[in-house]
Amino acid sequence: QVQLVESGGGLVQPGGSLRLSCAASGSIGSINAMGWYRQAPGKQREFVAVSTSGASINYADSVKGRFTISRDNAKNTVYLQMNSLKPEDTAVYYCNADIRRGQGTTYIRYWGQGTQVTVSS
């Protein structure tokens, strides 16, 4: 099966930086878009950033200028560099990816288990 595993979350001071990683593993044929969502306590999951296989990038307005998404396709990994972090960035961050499995035809949306990011003084 295909799995996405996030890492890099933790506790950081306001104004600090954190870098999240999400590595896909398993029976992977190809990966199209990879992206990040987040869910704060008491709120619904919201879009953060996405990178397509063609390197087209889109960010939520709330993170533009502060977050940077990037990919290492050779490692099936997507990153989220988060700078100038604010308390309102506190959330569980989830990676997703559209993946065609090794012997499959259809691209399927997979989700990671989430990694906690806490921004607090």
Side-chain angles (χ1 to χ4, degrees):
Q1 66 178 20
V2 173
Q3 292 185 333
L4 299 176
V5 179
E6 301 97 334
S7 62
L11 176 64
V12 66
Q13 299 289 315
S17 297
L18 212 57
R19 190 187 191 220
L20 306 183
S21 299
C22 174
S25 62
S27 182
I28 297 172
S30 62
I31 302 177
N32 196 344
M34 300 188 79
W36 294 91
Y37 281 67
R38 67 186 182 186
Q39 188 166 23
K43 298 184 178 181
Q44 67 181 26
R45 190 172 299 187
E46 66 174 354
F47 168 79
V48 175
V50 66
S51 175
T52 71
S53 61
S56 178
I57 294 172
N58 191 30
Y59 297 98
D61 288 341
S62 59
V63 306
K64 285 181 179 177
R66 300 188 298 120
F67 290 11
T68 302
I69 188 171
S70 61
R71 295 171 65 165
D72 185 337
N73 291 328
K75 296 181 178 180
N76 293 327
T77 299
V78 63
Y79 305 94
L80 187 67
Q81 178 67 47
M82 304 183 293
N83 299 326
S84 302
L85 283 162
K86 305 174 181 179
E88 50 263 48
D89 294 319
T90 296
V92 177
Y93 283 71
Y94 297 91
C95 171
N96 65 42
D98 296 333
I99 298 174
R100 181 182 64 79
R101 299 175 70 174
Q103 301 300 318
T105 302
T106 303
Y107 281 90
I108 299 173
R109 176 71 54 86
Y110 292 88
W111 292 87
Q113 81 289 348
T115 185
Q116 177 70 49
V117 172
T118 302
V119 184
S120 177
S121 60

